[in-house]
Amino acid sequence: MREEPVYIALDRSGELKRRAEALESRLGSCDICPRECGVNRLENAPGFCHSGRLPVVSAVCAHHGEEPAISGSRGSGTIFFGNCNMRCVYCQNYQISQDYQAQQSKEIDSHTLAERMLYLQDEAGCHNINFVSPSHFVPQLVRGVLDAVPMGLRLPLVYNTSSYDSIRSLEKLEGIISIYLADLRYASNNWGSKFSQVTDYVEKARAAIREMYRQVGELTVDDDGIAQKGLIVRHLILPHRLAGSEDSLGWLAREVSPEVTVSIMAQYFPAHRAAKFPLLSRTILSSEYSEVTRLLSKLGIENGWVQEMGSSEDYLPDFACENQPFSLMVSRQSCS
Ligand code: SF4
């Protein structure tokens, strides 16, 4: 029988409610993510993420294109939050992450968010609930879980993040989130600043990943290979070594653990505004891909997956199709 998620016990003891309230109180002078805008989101004052008191949910679907341990055979129950605390010029989700005016109509209350979770669990039959781009909606996420537990929520929860996260916010997720699916995007604040409008990505993301690892450790899966707990670090290969793969993966192996599960992504496509930036205006070369795969062997990273080359356009979502933004999926190969 599957183990009961820790958030059930947190709910029973009243701790889940205390966490939701503590996080919500910080919305009055928002420091939910590392930008620390200090705006009053309880009154819908806009900070960098243009998000107010209520969660913005832009799409809900069973996703079959995540890592095998996340999607399994029945799909991962993805809840795509709208808006973002980054501004990646190549964002493939730009329709929902960078058009906040269009997303205003997608605001829902916490009970409706809870109902979406229950739909993914009971009707779609998904393996987990996968919160995508949650960094600016941590209080709303916890409130939604608090509402969903008495309705019958029992699935493991996945926090699918750019890793530009506040440690204080992550600490409140301990025991609530079972699986962290965390990007490791840049090893240079210069590129982070130029391409994502984040001046301190390297320090903040590395600290966040350490905290996630402290909470959940290495990936554990059930008898069917479905993730139950742990950290998966995603690394998107960018053209011209802009992702700093050697530095980033070296740091991960050295400072976190070579045993950490890594998902190497080869799907970079110059989406959104990327064509205007010469360094980002093409997909990756096979030489850039091989360099990263060789690096994995050199660093002794053996756990995880490497996405096939030539998959760039297969992963591009279209959020005009709200309940099925992903039409075509390609498999990921094991690292080893
Ligand atoms: S969550 Fe939004 S408003 Fe709050 S600090 Fe981050 S970007 Fe600013």
Side-chain angles (χ1 to χ4, degrees):
M1 216 175 89
R2 176 180 288 146
E3 236 176 83
E4 187 179 82
V6 178
Y7 60 74
I8 306 286
L10 294 178
D11 181 52
R12 249 185 247 123
S13 68
E15 174 64 10
L16 193 57
K17 186 161 185 269
R18 283 192 289 279
R19 300 240 194 125
E21 288 169 352
L23 283 159
E24 284 163 350
S25 72
R26 288 168 50 199
L27 288 171
S29 175
C30 190
D31 65 351
I32 292 301
C33 89
R35 293 204 183 262
E36 300 187 354
C37 298
V39 298
N40 187 352
R41 288 176 60 187
L42 297 172
E43 292 183 1
N44 294 323
F48 186 89
C49 64
H50 290 280
S51 303
R53 186 174 62 82
L54 293 175
V56 173
V57 170
S58 303
V60 172
C61 65
H63 191 344
H64 294 273
E66 301 281 48
E67 286 74 3
I70 300 294
S71 278
S73 56
R74 303 198 303 269
S76 176
T78 37
I79 294 184
F80 286 87
F81 285 115
N83 306 331
C84 193
N85 66 346
M86 292 176 62
R87 292 284 186 279
C88 303
V89 297
Y90 51 87
C91 181
Q92 62 172 21
N93 295 355
Y94 67 96
Q95 291 161 297
I96 61 168
S97 66
Q98 297 189 33
D99 185 356
Y100 64 91
Q101 278 162 333
Q103 298 311 303
Q104 273 170 359
S105 63
K106 309 280 175 63
E107 276 191 350
I108 58 174
D109 61 23
S110 62
H111 183 76
T112 309
L113 175 57
E115 284 177 342
R116 304 273 160 93
M117 295 181 214
L118 269 292
Y119 158 77
L120 291 166
Q121 173 182 278
D122 297 336
E123 293 181 46
C126 296
H127 295 288
N128 46 55
I129 304 296
N130 180 349
F131 298 104
V132 184
S133 299
S135 309
H136 51 305
F137 281 128
V138 176
Q140 294 84 348
L141 182 164
V142 175
R143 174 63 64 179
V145 173
L146 182 68
D147 283 6
V149 172
M151 294 162 74
L153 183 71
R154 292 296 179 272
L155 289 181
L157 305 180
V158 181
Y159 189 87
N160 185 339
T161 176
S162 68
S163 302
Y164 194 55
D165 282 289
S166 143
I167 300 298
R168 260 185 91 203
S169 298
L170 289 176
E171 283 169 350
K172 291 281 184 259
L173 295 174
E174 185 162 10
I176 300 173
I177 297 298
S178 297
I179 300 139
Y180 284 102
L181 197 47
D183 290 346
L184 184 50
R185 293 207 183 185
Y186 302 108
S188 150
N189 285 331
N190 179 36
W191 296 136
S193 178
K194 190 171 167 67
F195 301 130
S196 298
Q197 288 187 41
V198 185
T199 55
D200 53 0
Y201 181 83
V202 180
E203 306 85 272
K204 296 293 195 256
R206 288 183 180 186
I209 287 172
R210 278 182 199 274
E211 169 60 19
M212 297 177 208
Y213 185 69
R214 182 194 70 74
Q215 289 182 23
V216 297
E218 274 139 34
L219 188 68
T220 56
V221 298
D222 67 9
D223 293 344
D224 297 322
I226 306 300
Q228 298 300 303
K229 190 176 177 195
L231 169 68
I232 299 174
V233 174
R234 282 178 164 172
H235 181 69
L236 175 68
I237 308 171
L238 291 175
H240 301 285
R241 298 178 177 154
L242 296 175
S245 303
E246 184 159 10
D247 191 340
S248 284
L249 295 173
W251 169 81
L252 189 67
R254 215 174 39 248
E255 305 287 329
V256 182
S257 166
E259 302 298 318
V260 168
T261 297
V262 172
S263 177
I264 299 296
M265 305 171 83
Q267 70 187 56
Y268 176 75
F269 182 85
H272 191 32
R273 298 169 53 229
K276 298 194 175 113
F277 295 79
L279 287 172
L280 284 170
S281 61
R282 62 160 170 83
T283 56
I284 62 166
L285 306 174
S286 56
S287 57
E288 291 165 335
Y289 178 79
S290 321
E291 196 174 293
V292 176
T293 55
R294 278 199 304 272
L295 196 57
L296 294 174
S297 316
K298 188 174 136 196
L299 294 169
I301 295 175
E302 291 184 344
N303 296 326
W305 306 271
V306 178
Q307 201 175 41
E308 292 167 22
M309 266 287 281
S311 45
S312 307
E313 288 178 68
D314 298 332
Y315 283 87
L316 284 181
D318 181 1
F319 287 93
C321 181
E322 216 172 280
N323 295 321
Q324 200 42 270
F326 297 87
S327 55
L328 189 59
M329 295 300 152
V330 176
S331 65
R332 292 167 207 250
Q333 297 174 323
S334 163
C335 275
S336 47

